Amino acid sequence: MELLNFQNPNFLRSTWTARDIDAATVIFAGRSNSGKSSVLNALCGGRFARTARLPGRTRAINLFALQRGQILADLPGYGYAVVAKEEQRTWSSKLMYFIKAPCLCGLVLVVDCRRGLQERDMALLHAASRLPALVLMNKADKLGRAALRDCVESAKSTLATLPMASTVLTFSALKKRGLEKLRYGVTDLFLGEATPSTDENNAN
Ligand SMILES: Nc1nc2c(ncn2[C@@H]2O[C@H](COP(=O)(O)OP(=O)(O)OP(=O)(O)O)[C@@H](O)[C@H]2O)c(=O)[nH]1
Ligand SMILES: [Mg+2]
């Protein structure tokens, strides 16, 4: 399979709606501070999306176009308590609306591997159940091998209860660990070739 070229995407715009998107789009979603923007940057080999030590950095949906026109969408995180309740509710309903957009072809769910899949992640997975999902256990540099394996196994058994095709990968945006598998995984999402959760998963 030929890998997509993820290098040097063009920032298109910040938005809250998918109405103006006319190309296949993969979304990067997850809890605030799980590392969505860092993962996108690692995938694309540069600093394109803004990241921050404190949660709540990404405050709109940022669209980046690959060389061939496909789009990566960096979403604001959920579960960030410091953002006012009202604003959280607004984001949440906008995100839930956005993930129904027909242009979407896949979901990269970025999870902090120390926390594992949480309630809000599950709510997102349910809402996006028509999309194949690549579940990234990010910040793998923070856990030892055995703990990582446990977290992957636990995610896999949770995902097995959901209807969509899903793959679990361990990843470190900091150490750029798991990049090749991420590139293949995101290419698969664009090509509509995501594998079911029982197939080729790993705890690298
Ligand atoms: N140790 C470690 N830190 C990471 C990793 N990935 C991201 N981080 C750190 O986690 C923090 C949050 O990263 P972001 O990429 O801004 O997270 P985000 O999910 O986009 O956050 P929001 O936009 O606020 O939702 C930053 O301090 C990153 O440097 C990783 O793989 N390992
Ligand atoms: Mg972000």
Side-chain angles (χ1 to χ4, degrees):
M1 177 187 61
E2 199 186 329
L3 272 182
L4 285 178
N5 180 4
F6 294 102
Q7 298 300 304
N8 297 317
N10 290 315
F11 173 69
L12 288 179
R13 60 189 169 272
S14 291
T15 183
W16 274 113
T17 154
R19 261 199 312 269
D20 46 357
I21 301 179
D22 55 6
T25 300
V26 165
I27 55 174
F28 289 68
R31 281 183 69 89
S32 221
N33 206 245
S34 60
K36 299 170 293 298
S37 303
S38 303
V39 167
L40 191 147
N41 285 339
L43 174 67
C44 298
R47 291 183 58 79
F48 304 100
R50 287 201 192 139
T51 63
R53 202 164 47 78
L54 297 174
R57 168 72 257 184
T58 308
R59 291 190 161 224
I61 296 163
N62 291 315
L63 305 178
F64 299 88
L66 301 179
Q67 312 285 319
R68 296 258 177 95
Q70 299 96 334
I71 292 174
L72 305 178
D74 183 22
L75 271 51
Y78 41 79
Y80 173 38
V82 182
V83 173
K85 279 267 174 309
E86 190 53 39
E87 197 179 354
Q88 275 194 51
R89 264 196 295 273
T90 314
W91 283 12
S92 197
S93 55
K94 283 178 177 169
L95 286 182
M96 287 302 174
Y97 191 72
F98 186 84
I99 61 177
K100 306 281 181 215
C103 60
L104 304 190
C105 61
L107 157 70
V108 177
L109 178 61
V110 181
V111 177
D112 183 329
C113 64
R114 294 167 299 180
R115 291 169 170 263
L117 284 169
Q118 304 213 330
E119 210 178 305
R120 300 286 300 271
D121 299 313
M122 295 308 292
L124 178 83
L125 284 166
H126 277 288
S129 63
R130 74 187 168 88
L131 298 175
L134 185 58
V135 178
L136 267 200
M137 292 296 164
N138 188 37
K139 308 200 183 183
D141 53 285
K142 297 277 195 186
L143 284 186
R145 272 180 172 272
L148 260 184
R149 223 179 356 256
D150 288 349
C151 117
V152 169
E153 285 313 313
S154 154
K156 279 203 232 172
S157 50
T158 303
L159 288 161
T161 65
L162 300 176
M164 78 273 268
S166 59
T167 303
V168 182
L169 295 178
T170 56
F171 191 77
S172 168
L174 183 74
K175 306 275 187 197
K176 314 275 189 293
R177 241 163 76 189
L179 252 184
E180 196 64 7
K181 284 186 171 152
L182 176 63
R183 289 194 188 110
Y184 276 103
V186 179
T187 298
D188 280 350
L189 293 179
F190 277 115
L191 298 180
E193 291 175 7
T195 50
S197 57
T198 44
D199 288 356
E200 214 262 322
N201 295 328
N202 82 97
N204 57 353

